Amino acid sequence: MTGAGFVVLPDTAAADEARAVAPWAAPRVFSHTSGRPWLVGRWSPGELRVATAGPVQVAVAGVCPVTAPRLSELTARIRTLADVDALAAALPGACHVVASVGGQVRVQGSLTGLRRVFHTRLNGVDIAADRADVLAAMTGAGADAEALAVRVACGGLLPSPLADQPLWSGISALAPDHCLVWDRERARELRWWRPPAPEQPLAAGAEAVREALSSALHDRAPAEGRLSSDLSGGMDSTSLCFLAARNTPDLLTFRWGEAESGNDDAAFAARSIGALDQAEHLVVPPAELPPLFADSDVLMDTEEPYPFLRTAARTRYTARLLAARGARRHLAGHGGDELFTPFPGYLHPLLRRHPLTALRHVRGYAALKRWPVPHTLASLLRPGDEASWWRAQAEHLTDPPLRKRRPSLGWGLWPLRAPSWATGAATDAAREALRRTADRSRPLSPDLGQHQSLVALRTSAPWYRLLARPFAEAGVQLDSPFFDDRVIEAVLAVRADAHAGPWRYKPLLADAMRGIVPDSVLGRATKGEFSEEAGTGLRRNLPAILDLFADSALAAHGLLDPAELRTQLLSPQPDNAMGIALEPLIGCELWLRAATRPTPAWRSDDAPAPAP
């Protein structure tokens, strides 16, 4: 592990005691104007910047392409903590914002959870950090048994807010649209952001998205080293490449070669490579890549289960390869699917405003995706509310899986079903957690389509936050511009029904990139296919996976039936469902083993100190 992270402390004498137990042997420290410690931790050069204006200090951590004069200008406008709203709303990128204003303190992350905030109480004072395992190391927290049971019983790929609960006991997570504000030793959560009304038509929305993305990629190159970018051939990564190349024409593009004949990524990528004639293009042949599910017994992260176990070895290989080529920041198209492919919930408000248009959409989906029309219309007429959706997940947790062709028209993204290897104790604990979620959850937007988009973003952004860690270990900052706050706002302001439907693929992004990205890519309606390669990798590495669960920590905690898991793994696999379910389970197993060791697995005492 890199040991990177930071702790936020209030401007009180009691905070000095918390500073003393921070899990770094020689941390960097920024102080309040009083001289007391404010920010304590380890971070790479340029990762955290501070501006000062009299008694006001503002720190931004993460990807925030703002100039030092502009950050100082915004800081000089702050008189109270409430003024930080305007600063946060003006900053580009996705970053943490920490403010110290005359002894008062505020911290917040990004709107999607790509940059998260956790908090707990230690020796009578509330403290916060950007990593839950940092706070666990400071407090001696152990594993939260119920939170772990939920991961096992609900299949691991949990939607927000259920997935927001850290796996460390006594540690809380701040909602992305909230900030944490201290009043002396006590901190309270305040909501500071609400999504824009989804009212813009497609044309105006495309123009706003084009402006937001152009601004985001205007100066994305790192201060030192090269800028690299994925160039898969898909619309998302290709858009980022062409936007970045306008200011960094010599960028390095990267892609994994395809092992499956049915994958047409290479053909579309080739059309872009010719137009990016000043860039260096790196394609790694499939034979040189580690197989999928290789090294699946290697711990990737100690904060929470790593979600991308099948590609973990490839990710480490990629990060080291890019670093060797001089890359220090790498652009990825993560978040493009969640932003530019509206979930079916948009049909609810559309049916009430324009019923004939909604019926036309339903008929189109029935033809394209074989949606059952009677079921779809019945669900649209009875949407229920968010609380009832969560209660239904608790009631039907152990039911058989639903038919695949039924769309997700409720307040969640997909139905939660327990895998057969989850024990009764695990499913019982999960049901209780689901019912409590029903009692406390609130819609993220009154518009169901926008709510589903926000849930999707908040669910996936923390996964890519963890994906950035192996890149950081190699010295490369993984950057996902589609998760930038200003880009998110621009897309959310567009009516979902204006860029949804079965007739065009990602029309909002395609229209926004018209004239920047080749039309042949913008007209693409296919997506890369890797299921055959995943199946081959799983079969090849199955003995190692069976050995991993032969002495399972999850089984020792009463959450996993290892005999049933073995039976399922050794049975014929008709599709890729087993691999999808297995990834988060392996992550939970590895995480629990690390969390229950006598000595904490994550300590940065031995990590080299970053350069000042």
Side-chain angles (χ1 to χ4, degrees), residues 32-50:
H32 294 282
T33 54
S34 67
R36 298 188 180 104
W38 173 38
L39 301 173
V40 180
R42 285 177 179 261
W43 47 83
S44 302
E47 171 72 6
L48 191 150
R49 292 178 291 163
V50 175

Side-chain angles (χ1 to χ4, degrees), residues 126-138:
D126 288 336
I127 60 175
D130 67 331
R131 294 181 62 137
D133 51 356
V134 167
L135 297 181
M138 295 176 69

Side-chain angles (χ1 to χ4, degrees), residues 344 347-348 351-352 358-359 361-363 365-366 369-383 405-410:
L347 291 167
H348 284 290
L351 182 65
R352 282 145 187 79
L359 290 174
H361 281 228
V362 170
R363 290 181 62 187
Y365 282 121
K369 298 186 176 182
R370 298 170 61 187
W371 283 7
V373 174
H375 167 81
T376 301
L377 293 177
S379 299
L380 288 173
L381 293 172
R382 297 189 301 272
R405 300 202 179 274
R406 292 191 174 183
S408 297
L409 295 170

Side-chain angles (χ1 to χ4, degrees), residues 323-344:
R325 294 293 185 106
R328 293 298 175 264
R329 177 174 293 166
H330 182 70
L331 303 176
H334 308 313
D337 288 340
E338 293 87 341
L339 270 181
F340 299 110
T341 310
F343 284 79

